[in-house]
Amino acid sequence: MDAHKQLTIGLFGFGVVGEGIYRVLQQTPSLKATIKKVCIKNPGKKRNAPAELFTTDKDVLLNDSEINVIVEVIDDSNAAFHIVSTALKGGKDVVSSSKKMIAENLPELLGLQELTGRSLLYESAACASIPVIRNLEEYYDNDLLHSMKAIVNGSTNFILTKMFEEKLDFQEALLMAQQLGFAESNPKLDVEGYDAVNKWSFLLTHAYGIVEYPEKLVFTGIQNVQGGDAKVAREKNMDIKLVANAQKLQNGKVAAFVLPQFVKHDDHLAFVKNEYNGVVIESGFADKQFFYGKGAGSFPTASAVLSDLSALRYQYKYEYKKLKHHRPNELTNSFYVKVYVSFDDIKYVPREKFEWIEEWHAQEERKYLVGVICFEELEKSAWWRENNNSLILMPEAIIEDMEIRKLKKKSLELAGIFG
Ligand SMILES: NC(=O)c1ccc[n+]([C@@H]2O[C@H](COP(=O)([O-])OP(=O)(O)OC[C@H]3O[C@@H](n4cnc5c(N)ncnc54)[C@H](OP(=O)(O)O)[C@@H]3O)[C@@H](O)[C@H]2O)c1
């Protein structure tokens, strides 16, 4: 095996990430990787690189037999899929940062890797600088992964941090995130949870062998979180974060979703502030491990691309071990969660859907309840996202069947019904 394969790169995209890769490669000559050509969209834009490097013709890169690696970092997921699949079919290895493209096309991309034998790496697509995918593949390559919870979207985390620490309201915090370049000009992708669930869908593949389109997962963003919710969180000595959760239940199935959640101050994720990302992995014998780092930005993202390029020198491929070498886990929505719901008017909250209600605050400026509900109810209904309702998971929200029976019995005992 050639341990130091020479990499000749065709780079698609020269924006925040693409230019970062160009600069990082200039500073790492030891990698023996050179960019032969860069394909961009708008020929008129001023670039901080020699003009002869650029083209707008994708085929110049895709048909060049000397180019053995395509690095795809563009912001158009349809065009990105076309580029990546053509490159793989043409016998080239690929590194991509395009999380939306990967999430939307993962089954096809798995098939193409199998068919062509080429490698597709995308570490930067999940949490930019944090090496989570390779760790899930190589270190947690067994069946012992109990749970994974993470903050995978820096923009929403920035907004929530500002709501808490500077008591800004949602719109003010969003504006600040946009001004600082942490949120898209159309912030819907970040704020409403689409970006986070895209990343979560393929992290689930590496963690549990689950291949699921993102829209099949229960998710929302922070668009409904209100100043009043932040006030309640402060009273309870907690923060609110947009948390992606995955947990193996006692029946072997996996609960997975992306929802706002109350986080206790001693939780690792409470440490993750502003535009940072964090991942807490809990496994069989190691207990909890915490990964923390920059989840966006030019150089942090480029550093993960660099690491993928370096891995390509020794023909590294994702083996998708949980999918191919183990029995893949199955997703389930058949469990219960403890939730906080704040609302303007109780008529928009179906109280009868709750197993029980533990707290009820009707006198507050912003009314709220805390109760236990079946997760399937969240999957099949939308009331919890509508009419200015705000649903936030309580910490350790998941309650499995076994436990709920015990708890139910206990509450009946307390009520003197049996015991
Ligand atoms: N920014 C981050 O921190 C970050 C982190 C992780 C992952 N990502 C992902 O990385 C990708 C790039 O993000 P970015 O922030 O670098 O975006 P960006 O700054 O908007 O740059 C996008 C680049 O793609 C080029 N482009 C668009 N369509 C193209 C096409 N059909 N053919 C060739 N080039 C095309 C644009 O060309 P012009 O320059 O000519 O307009 C531009 O250079 C996205 O998928 C994003 O989700 C970004």
Short mmCIF file of all heavy atoms in Angstrom, two decimals, residues 123 126-141 145 147-153 157 200 203 207 244 267-273 275-283 286-295:
data_model
loop_
_atom_site.label_atom_id
_atom_site.label_comp_id
_atom_site.label_asym_id
_atom_site.label_seq_id
_atom_site.Cartn_x
_atom_site.Cartn_y
_atom_site.Cartn_z
N GLU A 123 -16.13 14.51 7.29
CA GLU A 123 -16.02 14.86 8.70
C GLU A 123 -16.48 16.30 8.98
O GLU A 123 -17.17 16.57 9.96
CB GLU A 123 -14.56 14.70 9.15
CG GLU A 123 -14.32 14.89 10.63
CD GLU A 123 -14.99 13.80 11.46
OE1 GLU A 123 -14.53 12.67 11.44
OE2 GLU A 123 -15.99 14.10 12.14
N ALA A 126 -20.36 17.46 9.83
CA ALA A 126 -21.14 17.23 11.05
C ALA A 126 -20.94 18.34 12.08
O ALA A 126 -21.85 19.10 12.36
CB ALA A 126 -20.80 15.89 11.65
N CYS A 127 -19.79 18.47 12.64
CA CYS A 127 -19.56 19.52 13.64
C CYS A 127 -18.27 20.25 13.31
O CYS A 127 -17.47 20.58 14.20
CB CYS A 127 -19.44 18.93 15.04
SG CYS A 127 -20.91 18.14 15.63
N ALA A 128 -18.03 20.49 12.02
CA ALA A 128 -16.84 21.18 11.52
C ALA A 128 -15.57 20.61 12.16
O ALA A 128 -15.17 19.49 11.85
CB ALA A 128 -16.96 22.68 11.68
N SER A 129 -14.99 21.33 13.11
CA SER A 129 -13.65 20.93 13.58
C SER A 129 -13.65 19.72 14.51
O SER A 129 -12.60 19.15 14.80
CB SER A 129 -13.00 22.11 14.31
OG SER A 129 -13.61 22.29 15.57
N ILE A 130 -14.82 19.30 15.02
CA ILE A 130 -14.83 18.20 16.00
C ILE A 130 -14.81 16.85 15.27
O ILE A 130 -15.70 16.57 14.47
CB ILE A 130 -16.09 18.27 16.91
CG1 ILE A 130 -16.24 19.65 17.52
CG2 ILE A 130 -16.03 17.20 17.98
CD1 ILE A 130 -17.49 19.81 18.38
N PRO A 131 -13.83 16.01 15.55
CA PRO A 131 -13.72 14.74 14.81
C PRO A 131 -14.68 13.67 15.33
O PRO A 131 -14.28 12.70 15.96
CB PRO A 131 -12.27 14.32 15.03
CG PRO A 131 -11.88 14.96 16.31
CD PRO A 131 -12.71 16.19 16.49
N VAL A 132 -15.95 13.86 15.06
CA VAL A 132 -16.94 12.95 15.66
C VAL A 132 -17.20 11.73 14.78
O VAL A 132 -17.32 10.61 15.28
CB VAL A 132 -18.23 13.73 16.06
CG1 VAL A 132 -18.88 14.39 14.88
CG2 VAL A 132 -19.19 12.83 16.77
N ILE A 133 -17.24 11.92 13.47
CA ILE A 133 -17.59 10.77 12.61
C ILE A 133 -16.50 9.70 12.69
O ILE A 133 -16.78 8.51 12.88
CB ILE A 133 -17.78 11.22 11.14
CG1 ILE A 133 -18.97 12.17 11.05
CG2 ILE A 133 -17.98 10.00 10.23
CD1 ILE A 133 -19.24 12.70 9.66
N ARG A 134 -15.24 10.12 12.57
CA ARG A 134 -14.16 9.13 12.57
C ARG A 134 -14.09 8.42 13.93
O ARG A 134 -13.78 7.24 14.01
CB ARG A 134 -12.83 9.80 12.22
CG ARG A 134 -11.83 8.89 11.60
CD ARG A 134 -11.50 9.12 10.12
NE ARG A 134 -11.22 10.46 9.74
CZ ARG A 134 -9.99 10.99 9.66
NH1 ARG A 134 -8.94 10.29 10.01
NH2 ARG A 134 -9.84 12.20 9.20
N ASN A 135 -14.41 9.14 15.00
CA ASN A 135 -14.43 8.48 16.31
C ASN A 135 -15.56 7.47 16.42
O ASN A 135 -15.39 6.39 16.97
CB ASN A 135 -14.54 9.52 17.42
CG ASN A 135 -13.17 9.99 17.87
OD1 ASN A 135 -12.38 9.20 18.36
ND2 ASN A 135 -12.88 11.26 17.66
N LEU A 136 -16.73 7.84 15.89
CA LEU A 136 -17.84 6.88 15.92
C LEU A 136 -17.51 5.64 15.10
O LEU A 136 -17.84 4.51 15.49
CB LEU A 136 -19.12 7.53 15.38
CG LEU A 136 -19.78 8.58 16.28
CD1 LEU A 136 -20.90 9.31 15.55
CD2 LEU A 136 -20.31 7.95 17.56
N GLU A 137 -16.86 5.84 13.96
CA GLU A 137 -16.49 4.72 13.09
C GLU A 137 -15.42 3.83 13.70
O GLU A 137 -15.51 2.61 13.64
CB GLU A 137 -15.96 5.26 11.75
CG GLU A 137 -17.03 5.57 10.75
CD GLU A 137 -17.67 4.32 10.18
OE1 GLU A 137 -16.96 3.40 9.78
OE2 GLU A 137 -18.91 4.26 10.15
N GLU A 138 -14.38 4.46 14.25
CA GLU A 138 -13.19 3.69 14.62
C GLU A 138 -13.11 3.35 16.10
O GLU A 138 -12.67 2.27 16.47
CB GLU A 138 -11.91 4.46 14.22
CG GLU A 138 -11.85 4.85 12.77
CD GLU A 138 -12.01 3.66 11.83
OE1 GLU A 138 -11.62 2.55 12.19
OE2 GLU A 138 -12.58 3.87 10.74
N TYR A 139 -13.47 4.30 16.94
CA TYR A 139 -13.31 4.07 18.37
C TYR A 139 -14.55 3.39 18.96
O TYR A 139 -14.44 2.41 19.68
CB TYR A 139 -13.03 5.39 19.08
CG TYR A 139 -12.62 5.21 20.53
CD1 TYR A 139 -11.30 4.91 20.86
CD2 TYR A 139 -13.56 5.29 21.55
CE1 TYR A 139 -10.93 4.71 22.17
CE2 TYR A 139 -13.20 5.09 22.87
CZ TYR A 139 -11.88 4.80 23.18
OH TYR A 139 -11.51 4.60 24.48
N TYR A 140 -15.70 3.93 18.62
CA TYR A 140 -16.96 3.33 19.11
C TYR A 140 -17.47 2.37 18.04
O TYR A 140 -18.59 2.51 17.55
CB TYR A 140 -17.99 4.41 19.40
CG TYR A 140 -17.50 5.45 20.37
CD1 TYR A 140 -17.01 6.67 19.92
CD2 TYR A 140 -17.52 5.21 21.73
CE1 TYR A 140 -16.54 7.62 20.81
CE2 TYR A 140 -17.06 6.15 22.62
CZ TYR A 140 -16.56 7.35 22.16
OH TYR A 140 -16.10 8.29 23.03
N ASP A 141 -16.62 1.41 17.66
CA ASP A 141 -16.97 0.57 16.52
C ASP A 141 -17.70 -0.70 16.97
O ASP A 141 -17.79 -1.67 16.26
CB ASP A 141 -15.70 0.21 15.73
CG ASP A 141 -14.72 -0.59 16.56
OD1 ASP A 141 -14.88 -0.63 17.79
OD2 ASP A 141 -13.80 -1.19 15.99
N LEU A 145 -22.55 1.63 22.40
CA LEU A 145 -22.89 3.06 22.47
C LEU A 145 -24.30 3.23 23.08
O LEU A 145 -25.28 2.88 22.45
CB LEU A 145 -22.86 3.63 21.05
CG LEU A 145 -22.76 5.12 20.92
CD1 LEU A 145 -21.39 5.60 21.37
CD2 LEU A 145 -23.00 5.52 19.48
N SER A 147 -25.68 6.24 24.39
CA SER A 147 -26.37 7.46 23.99
C SER A 147 -25.39 8.48 23.45
O SER A 147 -24.17 8.40 23.67
CB SER A 147 -27.10 8.06 25.19
OG SER A 147 -26.17 8.57 26.12
N MET A 148 -25.97 9.41 22.73
CA MET A 148 -25.17 10.48 22.16
C MET A 148 -26.08 11.71 22.22
O MET A 148 -27.24 11.64 21.80
CB MET A 148 -24.89 10.08 20.72
CG MET A 148 -24.00 10.98 19.97
SD MET A 148 -23.47 10.19 18.40
CE MET A 148 -24.93 10.24 17.41
N LYS A 149 -25.59 12.78 22.80
CA LYS A 149 -26.38 14.01 22.75
C LYS A 149 -25.45 15.14 22.40
O LYS A 149 -24.26 15.12 22.77
CB LYS A 149 -27.15 14.26 24.04
CG LYS A 149 -26.31 14.43 25.25
CD LYS A 149 -27.18 14.77 26.44
CE LYS A 149 -26.28 15.06 27.64
NZ LYS A 149 -26.97 15.52 28.80
N ALA A 150 -25.98 16.11 21.65
CA ALA A 150 -25.05 17.06 21.06
C ALA A 150 -25.70 18.40 20.75
O ALA A 150 -26.91 18.48 20.51
CB ALA A 150 -24.49 16.46 19.78
N ILE A 151 -24.86 19.41 20.74
CA ILE A 151 -25.23 20.70 20.17
C ILE A 151 -24.50 20.75 18.84
O ILE A 151 -23.26 20.79 18.81
CB ILE A 151 -24.81 21.85 21.10
CG1 ILE A 151 -25.68 21.81 22.35
CG2 ILE A 151 -24.93 23.19 20.39
CD1 ILE A 151 -25.21 22.69 23.47
N VAL A 152 -25.25 20.69 17.75
CA VAL A 152 -24.60 20.57 16.44
C VAL A 152 -24.82 21.80 15.57
O VAL A 152 -24.37 21.84 14.43
CB VAL A 152 -25.08 19.30 15.68
CG1 VAL A 152 -24.62 18.03 16.37
CG2 VAL A 152 -26.58 19.30 15.49
N ASN A 153 -25.53 22.80 16.10
CA ASN A 153 -25.74 24.01 15.30
C ASN A 153 -25.29 25.24 16.08
O ASN A 153 -25.87 25.60 17.11
CB ASN A 153 -27.22 24.12 14.91
CG ASN A 153 -27.47 25.36 14.06
OD1 ASN A 153 -27.71 26.44 14.57
ND2 ASN A 153 -27.36 25.22 12.76
N ASN A 157 -27.16 28.02 18.93
CA ASN A 157 -26.53 28.06 20.26
C ASN A 157 -26.09 29.48 20.61
O ASN A 157 -26.21 29.92 21.76
CB ASN A 157 -25.35 27.10 20.30
CG ASN A 157 -25.03 26.69 21.71
OD1 ASN A 157 -25.93 26.27 22.46
ND2 ASN A 157 -23.79 26.84 22.12
N TRP A 200 -27.72 15.28 12.19
CA TRP A 200 -28.06 14.17 13.08
C TRP A 200 -28.37 12.91 12.29
O TRP A 200 -28.05 11.80 12.70
CB TRP A 200 -29.21 14.57 13.99
CG TRP A 200 -29.22 13.85 15.30
CD1 TRP A 200 -30.25 13.16 15.86
CD2 TRP A 200 -28.14 13.77 16.25
NE1 TRP A 200 -29.88 12.66 17.08
CE2 TRP A 200 -28.59 13.02 17.34
CE3 TRP A 200 -26.84 14.28 16.27
CZ2 TRP A 200 -27.77 12.75 18.45
CZ3 TRP A 200 -26.03 14.01 17.36
CH2 TRP A 200 -26.50 13.25 18.43
N LEU A 203 -25.11 11.29 11.37
CA LEU A 203 -24.39 10.84 12.57
C LEU A 203 -25.04 9.57 13.12
O LEU A 203 -24.35 8.68 13.64
CB LEU A 203 -24.37 11.94 13.63
CG LEU A 203 -23.34 13.06 13.34
CD1 LEU A 203 -23.44 14.17 14.37
CD2 LEU A 203 -21.91 12.52 13.29
N ALA A 207 -23.26 6.15 14.19
CA ALA A 207 -23.38 5.72 15.59
C ALA A 207 -24.13 4.41 15.73
O ALA A 207 -23.74 3.55 16.52
CB ALA A 207 -24.09 6.81 16.39
N ALA A 244 -29.58 17.63 20.05
CA ALA A 244 -29.82 16.43 19.26
C ALA A 244 -29.57 15.24 20.18
O ALA A 244 -28.53 15.18 20.84
CB ALA A 244 -28.88 16.39 18.06
N ASP A 267 -24.33 19.90 33.47
CA ASP A 267 -24.28 19.06 32.27
C ASP A 267 -23.15 19.56 31.35
O ASP A 267 -22.95 20.77 31.24
CB ASP A 267 -25.64 19.18 31.55
CG ASP A 267 -25.79 18.19 30.41
OD1 ASP A 267 -24.89 18.13 29.54
OD2 ASP A 267 -26.81 17.50 30.36
N HIS A 268 -22.44 18.65 30.71
CA HIS A 268 -21.36 19.08 29.79
C HIS A 268 -21.86 20.08 28.76
O HIS A 268 -21.15 21.00 28.38
CB HIS A 268 -20.79 17.87 29.04
CG HIS A 268 -20.08 16.90 29.93
ND1 HIS A 268 -20.72 15.86 30.54
CD2 HIS A 268 -18.80 16.83 30.29
CE1 HIS A 268 -19.84 15.18 31.25
NE2 HIS A 268 -18.68 15.74 31.13
N LEU A 269 -23.09 19.87 28.29
CA LEU A 269 -23.58 20.74 27.21
C LEU A 269 -23.82 22.17 27.68
O LEU A 269 -23.87 23.09 26.87
CB LEU A 269 -24.85 20.16 26.58
CG LEU A 269 -24.67 18.85 25.80
CD1 LEU A 269 -25.97 18.46 25.10
CD2 LEU A 269 -23.53 18.95 24.77
N ALA A 270 -23.98 22.37 28.99
CA ALA A 270 -24.15 23.73 29.51
C ALA A 270 -22.87 24.56 29.30
O ALA A 270 -22.90 25.78 29.24
CB ALA A 270 -24.50 23.69 31.00
N PHE A 271 -21.77 23.86 29.17
CA PHE A 271 -20.47 24.49 28.96
C PHE A 271 -20.33 25.03 27.53
O PHE A 271 -19.49 25.88 27.25
CB PHE A 271 -19.41 23.42 29.25
CG PHE A 271 -18.00 23.86 29.07
CD1 PHE A 271 -17.40 24.71 30.00
CD2 PHE A 271 -17.26 23.44 27.97
CE1 PHE A 271 -16.09 25.11 29.83
CE2 PHE A 271 -15.94 23.85 27.80
CZ PHE A 271 -15.36 24.69 28.74
N VAL A 272 -21.18 24.52 26.62
CA VAL A 272 -21.07 24.89 25.20
C VAL A 272 -21.82 26.19 24.96
O VAL A 272 -23.05 26.23 25.02
CB VAL A 272 -21.64 23.76 24.31
CG1 VAL A 272 -21.48 24.09 22.84
CG2 VAL A 272 -20.96 22.43 24.63
N LYS A 273 -21.09 27.25 24.71
CA LYS A 273 -21.72 28.57 24.57
C LYS A 273 -21.46 29.14 23.19
O LYS A 273 -20.59 28.68 22.46
CB LYS A 273 -21.16 29.52 25.62
CG LYS A 273 -21.29 28.96 27.02
CD LYS A 273 -21.73 30.01 27.99
CE LYS A 273 -21.72 29.45 29.38
NZ LYS A 273 -22.96 29.41 30.04
N GLU A 275 -21.10 30.18 19.49
CA GLU A 275 -21.17 29.42 18.23
C GLU A 275 -20.47 28.07 18.31
O GLU A 275 -20.29 27.40 17.29
CB GLU A 275 -20.60 30.27 17.08
CG GLU A 275 -19.09 30.46 17.09
CD GLU A 275 -18.60 31.59 17.99
OE1 GLU A 275 -19.32 31.96 18.93
OE2 GLU A 275 -17.49 32.09 17.75
N TYR A 276 -20.12 27.64 19.50
CA TYR A 276 -19.42 26.35 19.65
C TYR A 276 -20.38 25.17 19.55
O TYR A 276 -21.59 25.33 19.72
CB TYR A 276 -18.67 26.31 20.99
CG TYR A 276 -17.36 27.06 20.93
CD1 TYR A 276 -17.33 28.43 21.00
CD2 TYR A 276 -16.16 26.38 20.76
CE1 TYR A 276 -16.13 29.14 20.90
CE2 TYR A 276 -14.96 27.05 20.68
CZ TYR A 276 -14.95 28.43 20.75
OH TYR A 276 -13.77 29.11 20.65
N ASN A 277 -19.81 24.00 19.28
CA ASN A 277 -20.57 22.73 19.27
C ASN A 277 -20.01 21.81 20.35
O ASN A 277 -18.87 21.99 20.80
CB ASN A 277 -20.39 22.01 17.92
CG ASN A 277 -21.21 22.61 16.78
OD1 ASN A 277 -21.26 22.08 15.70
ND2 ASN A 277 -21.87 23.75 17.02
N GLY A 278 -20.81 20.84 20.77
CA GLY A 278 -20.34 19.86 21.75
C GLY A 278 -21.09 18.55 21.58
O GLY A 278 -22.27 18.54 21.19
N VAL A 279 -20.40 17.46 21.83
CA VAL A 279 -21.02 16.13 21.70
C VAL A 279 -20.66 15.32 22.95
O VAL A 279 -19.49 15.23 23.30
CB VAL A 279 -20.48 15.37 20.46
CG1 VAL A 279 -21.21 14.05 20.27
CG2 VAL A 279 -20.57 16.22 19.20
N VAL A 280 -21.68 14.76 23.60
CA VAL A 280 -21.43 13.89 24.75
C VAL A 280 -21.81 12.46 24.34
O VAL A 280 -22.96 12.21 23.95
CB VAL A 280 -22.26 14.31 25.98
CG1 VAL A 280 -21.96 13.38 27.16
CG2 VAL A 280 -21.98 15.75 26.35
N ILE A 281 -20.85 11.56 24.43
CA ILE A 281 -21.08 10.17 24.04
C ILE A 281 -20.98 9.31 25.30
O ILE A 281 -20.04 9.46 26.08
CB ILE A 281 -20.05 9.73 22.99
CG1 ILE A 281 -20.31 10.50 21.68
CG2 ILE A 281 -20.10 8.22 22.75
CD1 ILE A 281 -19.33 10.19 20.57
N GLU A 282 -21.96 8.45 25.48
CA GLU A 282 -21.93 7.56 26.64
C GLU A 282 -21.89 6.13 26.13
O GLU A 282 -22.75 5.71 25.35
CB GLU A 282 -23.18 7.79 27.51
CG GLU A 282 -23.03 7.17 28.85
CD GLU A 282 -24.12 7.65 29.82
OE1 GLU A 282 -24.94 8.50 29.45
OE2 GLU A 282 -24.14 7.13 30.94
N SER A 283 -20.86 5.40 26.57
CA SER A 283 -20.75 4.03 26.07
C SER A 283 -20.53 3.07 27.22
O SER A 283 -20.29 3.49 28.35
CB SER A 283 -19.61 3.94 25.06
OG SER A 283 -18.38 4.08 25.71
N ALA A 286 -16.83 3.06 29.21
CA ALA A 286 -16.06 4.31 29.31
C ALA A 286 -16.83 5.41 30.03
O ALA A 286 -16.28 6.43 30.41
CB ALA A 286 -15.69 4.79 27.92
N ASP A 287 -18.15 5.20 30.23
CA ASP A 287 -19.02 6.25 30.76
C ASP A 287 -19.07 7.41 29.77
O ASP A 287 -19.05 7.19 28.58
CB ASP A 287 -18.54 6.67 32.16
CG ASP A 287 -19.68 7.30 32.96
OD1 ASP A 287 -20.79 7.45 32.41
OD2 ASP A 287 -19.46 7.65 34.11
N LYS A 288 -19.05 8.66 30.28
CA LYS A 288 -19.28 9.79 29.36
C LYS A 288 -17.99 10.36 28.80
O LYS A 288 -17.01 10.51 29.53
CB LYS A 288 -20.02 10.90 30.10
CG LYS A 288 -21.47 10.58 30.28
CD LYS A 288 -22.21 11.73 30.89
CE LYS A 288 -23.65 11.31 31.11
NZ LYS A 288 -24.32 12.09 32.12
N GLN A 289 -18.03 10.70 27.53
CA GLN A 289 -16.92 11.44 26.94
C GLN A 289 -17.46 12.66 26.22
O GLN A 289 -18.55 12.61 25.63
CB GLN A 289 -16.15 10.55 25.97
CG GLN A 289 -15.25 9.62 26.74
CD GLN A 289 -14.89 8.38 25.98
OE1 GLN A 289 -15.74 7.80 25.30
NE2 GLN A 289 -13.66 7.98 26.08
N PHE A 290 -16.71 13.74 26.27
CA PHE A 290 -17.21 15.03 25.80
C PHE A 290 -16.28 15.61 24.74
O PHE A 290 -15.09 15.77 24.99
CB PHE A 290 -17.30 15.97 27.02
CG PHE A 290 -17.76 17.36 26.69
CD1 PHE A 290 -18.79 17.61 25.80
CD2 PHE A 290 -17.15 18.46 27.31
CE1 PHE A 290 -19.21 18.90 25.52
CE2 PHE A 290 -17.57 19.75 27.05
CZ PHE A 290 -18.60 19.97 26.14
N PHE A 291 -16.83 15.88 23.57
CA PHE A 291 -16.07 16.52 22.49
C PHE A 291 -16.56 17.96 22.36
O PHE A 291 -17.77 18.19 22.32
CB PHE A 291 -16.33 15.82 21.15
CG PHE A 291 -15.91 14.39 21.11
CD1 PHE A 291 -16.68 13.40 21.71
CD2 PHE A 291 -14.75 14.01 20.46
CE1 PHE A 291 -16.31 12.07 21.67
CE2 PHE A 291 -14.36 12.68 20.40
CZ PHE A 291 -15.14 11.72 21.01
N TYR A 292 -15.63 18.87 22.24
CA TYR A 292 -16.01 20.28 22.23
C TYR A 292 -15.17 21.02 21.21
O TYR A 292 -13.96 20.75 21.09
CB TYR A 292 -15.76 20.84 23.64
CG TYR A 292 -15.86 22.34 23.77
CD1 TYR A 292 -17.10 22.96 23.86
CD2 TYR A 292 -14.71 23.14 23.81
CE1 TYR A 292 -17.19 24.34 23.98
CE2 TYR A 292 -14.81 24.51 23.94
CZ TYR A 292 -16.04 25.10 24.03
OH TYR A 292 -16.14 26.46 24.15
N GLY A 293 -15.74 21.95 20.47
CA GLY A 293 -14.92 22.71 19.53
C GLY A 293 -15.76 23.59 18.64
O GLY A 293 -16.98 23.67 18.78
N LYS A 294 -15.08 24.22 17.69
CA LYS A 294 -15.76 25.16 16.78
C LYS A 294 -16.55 24.39 15.73
O LYS A 294 -15.98 23.55 15.02
CB LYS A 294 -14.75 26.08 16.13
CG LYS A 294 -14.19 27.08 17.13
CD LYS A 294 -13.48 28.22 16.48
CE LYS A 294 -13.20 29.27 17.56
NZ LYS A 294 -12.20 30.23 17.17
N GLY A 295 -17.83 24.68 15.65
CA GLY A 295 -18.71 23.95 14.75
C GLY A 295 -18.92 24.64 13.42
O GLY A 295 -19.75 24.23 12.63
#
